[in-house]
Amino acid sequence: MSSDTAPTNYAVQTHEVSPPIEEYFFEGAEKLLELWFCSSTGSSGSLRNIPRNEIDAMLDIARCKILHSKHNESIDSYVLSESSLFISDHRVILKTCGSTRLLAALPVIMQLAGTYAQLDQVQSVYYSRKNFLRPDLQPPLHKNFDAEVEYLDSFFEDGHAYCMGSLKQDRWYLYTFHREVEFPVHKQPDHTLEILMSDLDDNVLHKFTKDFAVDGKDCFMRAGIDKIIPAGADVHDELFDPCGYSMNAYMNDSDQYATIHVTPEKEFSFASFETNQDLVCLYSQTRKVLQCFKPGKILLTVFANDVSVKGKDAQQQLWDRELIGYRRTNVQFVRLETETLVYAHFVRKSTQDTSSSDEDDGERSD
């Protein structure tokens, strides 16, 4: 063949390549921040003096918003687009799910406490969460617990970090800080029960959809939430479209509260219950919660300070007794700076106790 032969031209047919369709996912497990404030001068301001527009701006930073609110003489309750906010005189509880940036709001909350409530000292901090199913979808600050601890340590000296449970199964992370102050908040009996539930029963999931209930009030009654919350509680709730449910309640003109959040999609179903009420037995209330949601897996914690008789009773029962229909795979006791904590993990007896690879989320700490 001659070297000066012209090259043959070939027509190249091209096709537009569509990007892969990413399946919808929502992280139901919440990030939970509880802050207790006091004053270095002994002044008696209230966090409830923080204006609504300032609260809205703070929540914008966390990437959530207020849907509606209710108030009594002791507490302000807000149902959010992603979970809940409670504000009492000296305490803020912010609980957010999805890919929210909860800890980014921390410095703003501290600033607002000093500006509007003259509460310039953080007396106690509790930050906790379950391991995420998809930590890769979280903002950088929340992709792993080590990053969260480093961030919190930049505000609080001598904070303590814990990982409760097996690194091969569901686990629970906790950061605490307590400061000895000259003018502490008056110590009263205080406890908190939190139940984190996953793999909800198929017959339960549809109850938290618009196909089943008209609105939050309808869902509250028809899904059986009314059997969990103590009688006489003031309730406000939201049934999302097409699915999902959030509820806040407070008790008898006190700062006792309860909150429930449900992510009912089968592939990543999740529900949480939290309360500090002392009107009914916490162990009995736990059993009612499980009867309502019928989860496959349970992560349960009970905090109690030294003067909370009912909190310590719930801890003792959780330590001594099994939950009907469930097998306890892990139970731990921790003495913290100012209270005690019991953690337990349960699986439904009808399911295999196997470690699932989708929970090995790379958040292990050396």
Side-chain angles (χ1 to χ4, degrees):
M1 180 180 293
S2 172
S3 60
D4 58 357
T5 303
T8 304
N9 293 325
Y10 295 96
V12 179
Q13 191 172 16
T14 61
H15 299 276
E16 184 178 349
V17 178
S18 301
I21 299 175
E22 186 166 339
E23 293 185 0
Y24 172 74
F25 175 83
F26 186 83
E27 190 73 65
E30 299 102 344
K31 314 166 185 81
L32 174 59
L33 178 66
E34 180 173 328
L35 300 169
W36 286 83
F37 290 89
C38 62
S39 170
S40 61
T41 63
S43 62
S44 57
S46 172
L47 296 168
R48 302 179 72 193
N49 292 333
I50 299 173
R52 169 63 184 265
N53 66 302
E54 295 280 22
I55 296 174
D56 288 332
M58 177 272 291
L59 293 173
D60 283 343
I61 294 172
R63 294 185 178 169
C64 54
K65 63 181 181 179
I66 295 171
L67 299 181
H68 41 80
S69 62
K70 291 193 76 172
H71 315 270
N72 68 8
E73 295 298 320
S74 303
I75 195 169
D76 300 326
S77 170
Y78 301 90
V79 170
L80 308 180
S81 54
E82 283 84 9
S83 299
S84 295
L85 169 68
F86 295 96
I87 301 177
S88 51
D89 287 336
H90 295 92
R91 180 189 64 197
V92 172
I93 299 172
L94 178 57
K95 188 170 193 172
T96 66
C97 56
S99 57
T100 48
R101 302 166 62 244
L102 182 148
L103 288 179
L106 172 61
V108 180
I109 297 173
M110 294 169 62
Q111 179 185 9
L112 294 174
T115 301
Y116 293 101
Q118 292 75 54
L119 299 174
D120 57 347
Q121 287 187 327
V122 177
Q123 184 174 335
S124 297
V125 178
Y126 306 89
Y127 172 73
S128 63
R129 66 172 177 84
K130 177 187 175 295
N131 61 301
F132 294 129
L133 291 177
R134 293 287 306 274
D136 56 300
L137 299 181
Q138 292 295 318
L141 177 56
H142 291 289
K143 285 186 182 295
N144 61 74
F145 187 55
D146 289 338
E148 294 168 323
V149 170
E150 182 179 1
Y151 180 79
L152 287 163
D153 278 345
S154 70
F155 295 94
F156 311 110
E157 292 184 6
D158 301 322
H160 300 274
Y162 307 86
C163 177
M164 311 289 285
S166 170
L167 292 176
K168 292 186 177 181
Q169 294 178 328
D170 287 337
R171 50 204 174 276
W172 185 71
Y173 299 105
L174 171 67
Y175 181 97
T176 67
F177 167 81
H178 181 74
R179 174 187 285 123
E180 293 297 331
V181 295
E182 185 177 359
F183 301 101
V185 176
H186 179 63
K187 193 170 188 178
Q188 297 179 341
D190 186 52
H191 54 257
T192 303
L193 164 69
E194 187 177 29
I195 309 171
L196 307 179
M197 300 164 280
S198 52
D199 295 348
L200 308 186
D201 188 276
D202 288 350
N203 294 324
V204 170
L205 299 179
H206 78 285
K207 296 179 181 179
F208 299 94
T209 69
K210 284 283 190 177
D211 290 336
F212 179 81
V214 176
D215 55 19
K217 292 181 180 180
D218 188 34
C219 185
F220 179 82
M221 299 301 297
R222 297 183 64 194
I225 305 297
D226 62 310
K227 297 179 178 63
I228 298 173
I229 305 304
D234 285 311
V235 174
H236 61 125
D237 48 11
E238 184 78 18
L239 179 63
F240 295 91
D241 191 5
C243 65
Y245 177 78
S246 288
M247 183 227 70
N248 285 358
Y250 51 75
M251 324 294 167
N252 298 341
D253 288 330
S254 71
D255 68 348
Q256 296 181 24
Y257 67 91
T259 184
I260 291 174
H261 303 283
V262 186
T263 301
E265 289 90 339
K266 179 177 175 58
E267 295 77 14
F268 39 87
S269 64
F270 179 84
S272 67
F273 173 83
E274 179 186 347
T275 189
N276 68 341
Q277 65 81 22
D278 64 4
L279 301 176
V280 299
C281 169
L282 294 173
Y283 183 80
S284 298
Q285 190 171 44
T286 297
R287 294 181 60 179
K288 291 180 180 179
V289 171
L290 301 184
Q291 290 169 4
C292 178
F293 292 103
K294 299 179 173 57
K297 294 184 291 185
I298 309 161
L299 191 159
L300 195 153
T301 63
V302 181
F303 283 90
N305 68 6
D306 293 338
V307 294
S308 174
V309 175
K310 292 193 175 182
K312 289 186 175 297
D313 178 67
Q315 288 182 334
Q316 191 65 50
Q317 292 198 61
L318 180 62
W319 187 269
D320 292 339
R321 301 172 63 181
E322 296 286 345
L323 293 170
I324 296 175
Y326 291 88
R327 180 166 56 86
R328 189 171 62 191
T329 65
N330 192 293
V331 61
Q332 296 174 251
F333 173 87
V334 179
R335 180 169 291 281
L336 303 171
E337 297 96 320
T338 61
E339 59 272 301
T340 55
L341 165 70
V342 170
Y343 160 95
H345 182 266
F346 298 84
V347 295
R348 191 188 295 137
K349 286 185 177 179
S350 59
T351 60
Q352 294 292 326
D353 182 21
T354 59
S355 57
S356 59
S357 59
D358 63 347
E359 291 170 358
D360 190 7
D361 58 14
E363 293 191 70
R364 301 181 184 182
S365 300
D366 296 327

